[in-house]
Amino acid sequence: MSKGPRSAAARRDWGSDESGCSVLHLDMDAFFASCELARRPELRGLPVIVGGQERGVVLAATYEARAFGVRSAMPMTRARLLCPQATVIRPDHGLYRDVSSSVMGMLHEVTPLVEQISVDEAFLDVSGARRRLGPPTAIGAALRRRIQAEHGVTASVGIARNKFVAKLASTHSKPDGLMLVPVGSTIDFLHTLPVGALWGVGEKTEKSLAAWGITTVAELAHTDLASLQTAVGRVSGAHLHDLSWGRDPRPVVPEHREHSIGAETTFGTDQDDTAAVSRRVLELSDRVAARLRHQGVVARTVSVKVRSSDFATFTRSRTLDDPTDVARDIYRVARELVAGVDLGGLPVRLVGVRGENLQQREGSTQQLTLEESVDPRSGAQREAELALDAVREKFGKTAIDLGVQHKNGTHLY
């Protein structure tokens, strides 16, 4: 994808008509640096660089550091010369993977049509989610709020009729913004941009186009196709000409198969109330089970992740006798696994639940226990949860919750 500059002429407001605009591009802002600031809030507003102290390259920089010319992939020695007052933080890739996994899980709760591009960005096709979640701008705003609330990092969202324009919209909404490009405004938006904003226009192609007097997307769009192909080649010329008129037929392509399905959350304040942690484990188990049912798979293994207030992370897992997509079954195992983690008296910062070793539900065999084989209610819990799915599909995910009874602090179904 092009890393070309943004255009000062490209305003942020292009109208409010969302018809035909079902593609979202969500891009985390200065992702690695933002993750670090979330656990070091005292550094907010200051120049911060994530990377090796001396050797290596810059992995990420806050916008305050970018103001001094610091950029990703820049040698660290040069970055330190440009911004000697910056705080340099060694990367914590485990943290970044955890946050990324959580965010991508949020996106999959909106729609199965999620195409992850990198650790910090993805495309979504929300055409099938409009009825239950509202228009694309509402979906994008809700995702941004949730990511901020759960992880303390910001994301920018672009909304348009196709992937190419949605990506440009998210770029122009940064940092921490949301931008809609209506179908009727697509050409006007594109024709405010420099030619370097187009996918496939690198430094070499940009120079070749400049030699022909083409420096903007508008100039490229109005250049004879044959001349354009002479300048940059037959295939590239046709591709750029299509992009200059907003034509990008590629669909959002989701991953073909997930190896696991999980959900996790970071508490707003570190939590030492075991009942509150158990309630959150129940919510996460419910979300995981719903996604399993939605994708027609069952999990043979349940795993949990617990992070304490000092950022120590613990994982535990258990393989089930029979695979399941029932929240009750997942919750019972997950609750026991979480309770078995020794945090040394420290409160909980993050908890996660994941279903692993997935297999297709159709064709899978399940061995009933003796009690289940004679219980006329066998299978009733799954039927009840399927009913929950139907209610949520029609009225939204928050319309109804999985209920529990409380007895001496214990959650019982």
Side-chain angles (χ1 to χ4, degrees), residues 65-321:
R66 295 182 188 187
F68 289 87
V70 178
R71 296 289 183 270
S72 298
M74 175 182 289
M76 184 60 70
T77 51
R78 174 158 176 75
R80 295 299 297 269
L81 288 173
L82 290 172
C83 190
Q85 70 272 40
T87 299
V88 178
I89 300 175
R90 290 188 179 277
D92 182 349
H93 293 287
L95 170 64
Y96 313 147
R97 283 194 299 269
D98 287 346
V99 176
S100 173
S101 176
S102 175
V103 170
M104 296 303 158
M106 296 177 195
L107 305 190
H108 279 93
E109 290 180 22
V110 171
T111 173
L113 298 178
V114 176
E115 182 177 347
Q116 184 173 352
I117 303 303
S118 66
V119 70
D120 60 349
E121 64 177 314
F123 289 104
L124 301 81
D125 184 336
V126 299
S127 55
R130 284 175 176 253
R131 180 175 178 180
R132 60 187 175 87
L133 297 179
T137 54
I139 294 173
L143 283 170
R144 293 177 61 239
R145 286 193 301 270
R146 184 176 173 189
I147 293 168
Q148 171 72 49
E150 295 197 16
H151 296 292
V153 298
T154 62
S156 296
V157 173
I159 304 169
R161 68 182 182 185
N162 59 39
K163 292 162 66 172
F164 165 58
V165 181
K167 167 65 176 175
L168 290 176
S170 71
T171 298
H172 282 77
S173 71
K174 283 183 170 291
D176 192 19
L178 182 148
M179 181 172 167
L180 166 70
V181 179
V183 173
S185 300
T186 299
I187 303 304
D188 290 340
F189 166 65
L190 290 175
H191 289 187
T192 66
L193 304 178
V195 73
L198 297 179
W199 289 353
V201 177
E203 184 177 349
K204 182 178 179 181
T205 301
E206 192 168 6
K207 288 181 178 179
S208 297
L209 291 170
W212 284 71
I214 302 170
T215 60
T216 69
V217 175
E219 291 169 344
L220 188 149
H222 291 95
T223 297
D224 176 71
L225 178 57
S227 298
L228 191 59
Q229 291 177 317
T230 300
V232 296
R234 183 177 62 84
V235 174
S236 181
H239 170 68
L240 295 180
H241 191 261
D242 281 342
L243 293 183
S244 72
W245 290 103
R247 294 190 287 264
D248 179 18
R250 298 167 308 148
V252 174
V253 181
E255 294 178 310
H256 294 294
R257 182 180 179 184
E258 291 189 87
H259 298 290
S260 65
I261 289 176
E264 61 184 48
T265 185
T266 300
F267 291 100
T269 57
D270 295 342
Q271 189 61 252
D272 55 10
D273 183 347
T274 56
V277 174
S278 291
R279 286 194 295 271
R280 191 60 59 87
V281 171
L282 174 62
E283 294 171 8
L284 297 173
S285 300
D286 186 19
R287 283 158 52 183
V288 169
R291 285 181 57 198
L292 289 169
R293 292 191 296 271
H294 181 76
Q295 298 191 29
V297 295
V298 288
R300 180 169 287 278
T301 300
V302 174
S303 68
V304 300
K305 177 167 63 177
V306 183
R307 177 171 296 143
S308 59
S309 57
D310 64 350
F311 287 89
T313 301
F314 305 85
T315 58
R316 300 289 187 271
S317 64
R318 181 184 302 169
T319 297
L320 310 176
D321 291 333

